[in-house]
Amino acid sequence: MSQLMENQAFKAFTTYAAIVTLKMILMGPVTVYFRFTRKSFINEEDVAWMSEEQKKKLLKTHPDVERARRCHYNDLENIIPFFFIGLLYALSGPELSSALLHFRIFTAARIFHSFAYILVLPQPSRALSYFLGMLVTFSMAYSLLSKVFFL
Ligand SMILES: N[C@@H](CCC(=O)N[C@@H](CS)C(=O)NCC(=O)O)C(=O)O
């Protein structure tokens, strides 16, 4: 591990992977925030101490909560592939400047995607940030496979 940490591209990957993973984890508390402020719960046990009438009001979905959940899910769809492809890419000996460019663009795109989704920014802002992030992952995969392709 200490030898790996001398690899600058790996260190950069570790930093950006931690940032996007923490961002993804934060979508949980964001969803909790919307659940409480929009009074929208999904599990009986979450409102067990309430009266039957209150339960009926609280056990419902709310568009803002569902939006935060979709945003979290979209992170899972994109950040997990980034993690695996980015790790292999970082270990394949890329130029540090190129690796940093990939990691920075991906991180900025995913942070922007969350803001665009939660703040309901007009399209195509969210779609563009999604495609930009995906493009970075494909670019890293291309760079990786062009070095290690072996069938
Ligand atoms: N699973 C995604 C695949 C395509 C995708 O990720 N699209 C981006 C840009 S439009 C998005 O933010 N989709 C909204 C979402 O996943 O909830 C979907 O159903 O939309």
Side-chain angles (χ1 to χ4, degrees):
M1 192 69 180
S2 62
Q3 254 183 342
L4 261 183
M5 280 301 176
E6 281 163 27
N7 177 339
Q8 301 277 72
F10 180 77
K11 266 171 84 170
F13 168 74
T14 307
T15 305
Y16 287 98
I19 293 171
V20 286
T21 302
L22 288 172
K23 192 229 72 68
M24 179 167 71
I25 293 171
L26 273 180
M27 291 316 302
V30 168
T31 309
V32 170
Y33 167 79
F34 282 122
R35 281 207 183 288
F36 278 88
T37 55
R38 274 44 169 187
K39 301 190 185 343
S40 162
F41 298 88
I42 36 170
N43 302 302
E44 276 278 341
E45 65 272 24
D46 298 343
V47 291
W49 63 93
M50 307 269 183
S51 70
E52 286 307 312
E53 198 181 321
Q54 277 176 316
K55 276 185 194 172
K56 267 188 201 158
K57 281 188 196 158
L58 295 176
L59 284 175
K60 59 166 173 38
T61 58
H62 188 283
D64 293 344
V65 174
E66 295 312 305
R67 177 174 286 277
R69 278 158 63 87
R70 288 196 303 276
C71 186
H72 198 167
Y73 193 85
N74 195 275
D75 270 350
L76 289 166
E77 284 180 352
N78 291 278
I79 291 173
I80 293 173
F82 166 81
F83 190 88
F84 285 107
I85 300 283
L87 177 62
L88 297 174
Y89 166 75
L91 295 176
S92 70
E95 283 287 323
L96 179 61
S97 58
S98 173
L100 277 170
L101 190 67
H102 280 88
F103 303 153
R104 284 173 181 162
I105 293 176
F106 182 85
T107 302
R110 289 314 303 180
I111 291 173
F112 183 85
H113 181 274
S114 298
F115 277 104
Y117 217 158
I118 297 300
L119 301 177
V120 200
L121 300 185
Q123 283 281 38
S125 60
R126 173 165 48 83
L128 287 176
S129 58
Y130 158 74
F131 280 114
L132 186 60
M134 201 170 62
L135 190 73
V136 170
T137 303
F138 274 105
S139 170
M140 291 191 302
Y142 175 78
S143 164
L144 170 69
L145 288 174
S146 58
K147 278 185 194 161
V148 302
F149 196 71
F150 185 86
L151 279 178

